[in-house]
Every structure is written in C-alpha cells, then in structure tokens.
Amino acid sequence: ERNDRTIHLCEIKYCQGQYVIDNSYEMRLRERMETFRTKTKTHATLLHTFITTYGLAPGIHSGIAHSQVVADDLFTE
C-alpha cells in the first residue's frame, strides 16, 4: 500500500500478442478486487496493473486496467 492509500493489484499474463480482456475476464477481475477488499478489510483505492509481453489490446474492457508494463519495460537498459 502506497502512502496515498492506493494498492496495485498486478495481473501477469504471457501471450503471443497483445492480451485481450473480454467481458467475462473483466467480471472475474472485478470479483477478485472485491474478494481482496473483503479479505484484507482495506479501504484503500484498488487499481489493476497488467504485466504482459506485448501490452493490452485496446477495447471496451481494457479500461479496467489502470496501468500496464510490457516485457520491453523490464528488460531495456
């Protein structure tokens, strides 16, 4: 948890191209967020960060991701 009471929930996905978030996966992410909030009893802001090979494909459901990190971000000097 950061000083501004924000927690990033990280999803790590490997994919041959951009990762696509569809409706069912967005709902699953929302359920996980609620489970995390309930189990930890946190009142912090929860944000989704995706760590993927090539990023997220733009689409109606990709907005659930607050931020993303791609492989090049991790392995570039």
Side-chain angles (χ1 to χ4, degrees):
E1 184 171 342
R2 299 183 333 203
N3 287 337
D4 64 354
R5 300 187 44 82
T6 300
I7 298 172
H8 283 264
L9 302 176
C10 295
E11 290 281 328
I12 301 172
K13 300 294 181 189
Y14 175 79
C15 193
Q16 295 291 333
Q18 291 183 316
Y19 188 78
V20 177
I21 300 174
D22 62 14
N23 183 57
S24 64
Y25 197 68
E26 180 181 356
M27 292 297 106
R28 189 171 172 192
L29 291 170
R30 292 186 185 284
E31 289 169 8
R32 287 179 182 171
M33 184 183 289
E34 192 53 41
T35 298
F36 182 87
R37 186 177 301 286
T38 301
K39 296 285 185 182
T40 62
K41 297 179 177 41
T42 187
H43 295 289
T45 300
L46 301 177
L47 302 174
H48 285 288
T49 296
F50 272 77
I51 303 167
T52 64
T53 313
Y54 301 104
L56 294 174
I60 190 167
H61 302 288
S62 63
I64 192 162
H66 175 266
S67 55
Q68 57 183 309
V69 176
V70 297
D72 284 348
D73 295 332
L74 299 174
F75 301 109
T76 306
E77 292 181 27

